[in-house]
Amino acid sequence: MREYVGDCKTCSKPVYCLDGFFNGIHDPDSKEIVCFECEKKQEEDEK
């Protein structure tokens, strides 16, 4: 099952919940969604 959750705040790509597992990162403070690809890029840029 694939359920649309929202769009990535960085690249605007749609983020889905796949079989009950959220396929991205959710920031509870800002309530924004980031896809795994953008999260990985952000971590690499911070190094």
Side-chain angles (χ1 to χ4, degrees):
M1 184 171 170
R2 182 171 126 167
E3 184 177 346
Y4 174 76
V5 177
D7 294 324
C8 173
K9 75 168 186 163
T10 305
C11 69
S12 301
K13 186 169 100 174
V15 179
Y16 295 93
C17 186
L18 303 172
D19 294 324
F21 295 100
F22 181 58
N23 199 19
I25 305 294
H26 177 255
D27 182 0
D29 296 327
S30 65
K31 297 186 175 155
E32 294 178 328
I33 297 170
V34 179
C35 69
F36 285 135
E37 293 172 14
C38 289
E39 178 68 19
K40 185 176 180 181
K41 287 179 189 176
Q42 287 175 358
E43 286 179 5
E44 289 174 359
D45 289 345
E46 290 176 0
K47 290 182 180 179

